[in-house]
Structures are given as structure tokens and as C-alpha cells.
Amino acid sequence: MNNQELKRYDRQILLEELGLEGQEKLRNTAVLVIGAGGLGCPLLLYLAGAGVGKIGIIDGDVVEESNLHRQVLYQMNDLGKNKAQTAADKLRQLNPLIEVQAYPYHLSAENATATLSDYDLVMDGSDNFPTRYLVNDSCVTLNKPLIFGSIFKFEGQVSVFNYQGGPDYRSCYPEAPAAAEQNNCGESGVIGPLPGIIGSIMANECIKVICGFGDQLSGKLLIFNALNYDMQIFNIQPEGAKKDALHEAGTKAATYQEIGQEELQEWKDKEEPFLLIDVREAYEFEEYNIGGTHISLYDLKDKITDIPFQNKLVLCCTSGAKSRMAAKLISKTRKESLFIISLLNTNT
């Protein structure tokens, strides 16, 4: 490494866990970032600052004024410009020692394999489910580690997928929610600092994976709540391990069953006894709910023993993801049959 590099990266080279060897690994690694929006902006800044040798940026969108409250790479004079090209120009100004490649178009099934093949690691900061599944499936096919992040209102998620035999995105979310359940920032809003927090965590995971230190979030899903600073980490079971567990269980019933609102309504009409628990946040419950008791997922662990016994325990949330996590928590200590339901319309 030359003197300019040693001077620029001095503060992180001083870290025993990283050192000169880690800095060399960063310089020799190529990272592709999917999306140069809320999550992409902070993680791109930190990857460029850390000295990742080659950074690719793929995004077909242009900068809009509504982006500026959270997408910290852009300014008013960038309005109307392609995000990938604009972000690449700014990263080159930040660190002229690295290579930055812009792909000013959206990722698609036609270009995914060719684009991802040139990179060692992929970071998904996209904001829609089709892209997330495309990125995941491409990384699995090409055997590329994937660092995933997402944000919604006040909540963010981060995980490391397809890393050293660990689970992939489909192990956590086997299928995309129904179209009516797929909300985004443009429809539901997002607090400005949240993508900065989640994007920074993604960048931190990227550096850890490249340099090989610390505990990576492989096989784990980190969920951060900006309303109360609650942070929890849930274990993700690889798909193969799930199948093995079901095989060993023989005819034993699954931990939970997923039902629709129609089936729930039939239970109500027949006056069948059940307990409905909404595991979303309080503000979401107040905005829209289908009745039942509200217990946030983050508070559930401490309140499990207080839940009155019912033969049927129904858990609901917006997409089903929180309900699945809640079911896993409850099944460790309770014996009821667990059912999961998604709220099909949270804007009523």
C-alpha cells in the first residue's frame, strides 16, 4: 500500500481486528450495490470511505425532491439526474483511489447474471419484492454473499444471506406478500434518519464479511425500531434444516398454520373460541386493526405467560413476517394451536 492509502485509512488500519491485512482485503474486493436510494446512499459513502476497491451501483431512477430528506448523497442541483451515475460521481470525489462503476438502469432477469458475475459480494438496498427475490435467486445461483436491508415507516431490517452455507432470503421470506400487502415509502412514509441507521449497519456487515472479523448476521435477522430504539435479533433456520426438522417430526403438526381473513370470519360467525393478538406497533394498531388484543412483537417475550389460554391463538400483522416470529417465540412455552393472518388493508 502506498503512503496516500496508509494515511487515508489510518484510523481503521489501527484496529487490531482489521489492520493492514483487512485493508488489503477491502482494496481487492468488488461490491455491487442494488439501489442508490435511502439505504444505498449511506452504505455507498461508508464503503467508498473504507476503501472497497471496486463499487458497482445499479439504479434506473432519477433524483426527485421527495428523496432529499433521506437520500443524503444528493442535492437540489441533482434533481432529474440518474441516481447511479450521480452517486458514482460523488463517490469518485470522496475517494479517487477506488473504482466506481455506474449501471444507470434497473436490475432485470435479462441483465442480473451478467451484472452480478463481476462482483464478489452484493448489497440489496432495493425497495420492492420482485427485485429482492431476483437478487437473492441470482446470488444463490452464482454463490455470492448477499447483505440485505429494508425500511418501512420506523422499522428497519438487516441480514446476511447465502454466506458460508447460511440461509438465503427465501429461508426468511419464502414468498412475496400479496400485492395488496406490499407497502413502500412512497405510500406509507419513512422517517429520514432510519435509512442512515440501517444503511450504516449494512456497510458495517459488509466490512466484517470482507475482512472476516466479528459476528456476522448470517442466519440472523436484525430488526430495529426507531420509535423506541428496540433492537432484536431473530435466528433464521435454513430451508434445508426446516425440511429435515419436519421429516424428523413425522406426522407432528407444524408450529403454525396460515389462514386468511375469510376463515377467521367463519370462526367468528360460528362463535368458535379463539384469541386474536395483533403483534404490530401501537401506532399501526391505532391506524387500522381487525380487533383483538395488541401486544407488540418487541414486548411479546415478556408477556407470553400473561396471555390467557385458548385452544386457538391467532397472530396478525401486516405481511405475516412478525406473526411468524411471534409464533416461534410462543411455541417454545405454549401448547395452543397457532394461526397466522395478514392484514390485507392497513389504509382503511
Side-chain angles (χ1 to χ4, degrees), residues 95-328:
N95 190 349
L97 303 178
I98 65 173
E99 177 186 352
V100 185
Q101 175 69 51
Y103 302 92
Y105 48 78
H106 294 297
L107 193 73
S108 67
E110 290 72 27
N111 61 40
T113 299
T115 306
L116 270 64
S117 295
D118 293 334
Y119 293 87
D120 304 302
L121 187 150
V122 178
M123 307 198 70
D124 184 7
S126 62
D127 60 358
N128 64 86
F129 286 99
T131 301
R132 289 171 185 167
Y133 285 102
L134 174 61
V135 173
N136 174 79
D137 296 347
S138 300
C139 285
V140 170
T141 300
L142 297 170
N143 196 27
K144 307 281 186 183
L146 168 64
I147 296 176
F148 159 79
S150 70
I151 52 175
F152 177 69
K153 291 187 176 181
F154 295 94
E155 184 180 286
Q157 301 183 359
V158 182
S159 187
V160 177
F161 293 123
N162 202 44
Y163 177 61
Q164 296 184 345
D168 65 8
Y169 181 75
R170 288 186 183 274
S171 297
C172 188
Y173 299 107
E175 297 179 357
E181 302 171 33
Q182 296 182 18
N183 296 307
N184 56 49
C185 297
E187 297 173 348
S188 304
V190 62
I191 190 71
L194 179 63
I197 296 168
I198 300 302
S200 296
I201 295 175
M202 292 174 69
N204 189 56
E205 285 301 295
C206 182
I207 294 171
K208 287 161 56 182
V209 167
I210 292 171
C211 298
F213 65 83
D215 296 325
Q216 294 88 10
L217 287 170
S218 177
K220 303 172 184 176
L221 180 69
L222 180 150
I223 301 180
F224 172 79
N225 189 317
L227 281 175
N228 55 17
Y229 293 106
D230 187 285
M231 182 181 292
Q232 296 195 33
I233 297 177
F234 295 88
N235 291 325
I236 303 170
Q237 194 173 24
E239 195 62 33
K242 291 180 182 178
K243 293 177 181 177
D244 291 342
L246 289 174
H247 177 72
E248 292 175 5
T251 58
K252 184 178 178 180
T255 303
Y256 59 81
Q257 299 178 43
E258 299 197 20
I259 62 172
Q261 290 202 43
E262 298 82 3
E263 188 169 351
L264 186 68
Q265 186 59 50
E266 289 180 5
W267 293 355
K268 292 179 180 179
D269 295 340
K270 295 178 181 178
E271 298 184 351
E272 294 187 20
F274 66 88
L275 178 62
L276 174 65
I277 299 178
D278 192 316
V279 296
R280 298 174 300 156
E281 291 303 289
Y283 73 91
E284 295 176 289
F285 184 78
E286 292 172 2
E287 287 178 2
Y288 173 77
N289 66 78
I290 56 174
T293 301
H294 171 255
I295 303 178
S296 167
L297 172 65
Y298 304 107
D299 299 326
L300 186 62
K301 187 175 181 180
D302 296 328
K303 296 183 178 180
I304 289 177
T305 56
D306 298 331
I307 299 173
F309 179 84
Q310 290 284 347
N311 288 326
K312 293 181 178 179
L313 188 56
V314 182
L315 306 170
C316 72
C317 67
T318 302
S319 67
K322 285 186 176 181
S323 295
R324 295 185 190 99
M325 296 174 190
K328 292 178 182 178

